[in-house]
Amino acid sequence: SCNPSEKLDLDAWKKVMRSGLQDEVSETVSERKELSTLAAAREVLEMWRLAGRSVPENISEEQLKTFLECPSKSAKKKYLKYLHLKELHKKNDKRKMDEKRERRLETEERASKTDETKRNSFVCLWANCMDRTYGWRAAQSMIFGQPLVFDMSYEKDMSVREVANTVRQIVLSEGCNRRSVDPFHIHFCNFKGDSLYHKEFVKHYREAWGKLLITVTDQCYTDVFPKDKLIYLTADSPKVMKTFDHDKIYIVGSMVDRSIKTGVSLARAKRLGLETAALPLEKYLLWNTGAKNLTLDQMMHILLTLKDTGDWKAALEFVPKRKYYGFVSKP
């Protein structure tokens, strides 16, 4: 700061400004010269590299400056050779690391494939053994097993979608029966070859349909078995089933119950003069509001459990939990 009374020396001020401007101009010119020198040096090095000399492919600005500062041409060549060898060593190290990583990945993949193959081989062997066991049991049941009849005469009372739903339930029932310890000998009675049932079964089983270890006939069950041994299981029956009888032949209607009017299966059984029975659901279960109809696969689970154990509580565990509150303490 200066007092107002003091006079500013304009000549000295101009001299200072002129010198600062000259310094800035000289610095800019030197920077431009340096940049042009570095660019020229890069072009020279690129030409040497293309000519086959030991020149690195990538060189930083600092290394380029060091190269320009070398006192002699031999020193520049030695420096470039040093950078070239350093770059080669770095590339070799990277290549070795990549090869090592690839070998490790291949080893891990090969080991995982081997383990998976062993595991899949064991699973396939186990599945084949179990399939043979199940097939043997089903074959035995066709000779010595207790018959179980599916009445296939309800197609006209259902829509195409309901027939497909019924066939899905029967497929689940057949699989459950085949995997049981003591399977039933399943009979499809009143089965027509050109029916929707047949088309849906072929759609599910495909080429295995002709290899199923079951009996398929277009005859009525009253023509195949004695009437006094037949019991038609229907939820509308006034008679409640007390125990499972191993000497009887139980009949299950192949239909979706909610699409059928109440009493259709009961009326059919009475028309044929057959004995009927209903599962003792209210005797053992605190029943909720709703129909006492079960799906065909649930019926199969219940009948198989009764056949093997005779325990109603264990058998009725397959009733959906939403249909009842719990078991009766003293049935």
Side-chain angles (χ1 to χ4, degrees), residues 39 120 192 225 243 285 292:
N120 290 339
K192 307 299 180 184
F225 303 104
T243 57
L285 302 175
K292 297 179 179 63

Side-chain angles (χ1 to χ4, degrees), residues 188-222:
F188 288 170
C189 293
N190 298 313
F191 190 91
K192 307 299 180 184
D194 57 347
S195 61
L196 286 176
Y197 283 119
H198 181 258
K199 292 179 182 177
E200 291 296 326
F201 276 121
V202 172
K203 188 186 298 184
H204 275 277
Y205 286 109
R206 298 184 180 180
E207 63 275 2
W209 166 246
K211 303 176 183 178
L212 290 179
L213 296 175
I214 61 175
T215 299
V216 181
T217 177
D218 59 352
Q219 291 182 301
C220 185
Y221 30 85
T222 55

Side-chain angles (χ1 to χ4, degrees), residues 153-178:
S153 61
Y154 295 96
E155 180 181 321
K156 62 182 181 300
D157 299 313
M158 294 185 291
S159 65
V160 176
R161 184 175 181 180
E162 289 165 344
V163 171
N165 190 15
T166 301
V167 169
R168 278 196 296 270
Q169 294 179 16
I170 296 176
V171 170
L172 292 174
S173 303
E174 188 274 329
C176 169
N177 180 69
R178 182 162 31 91

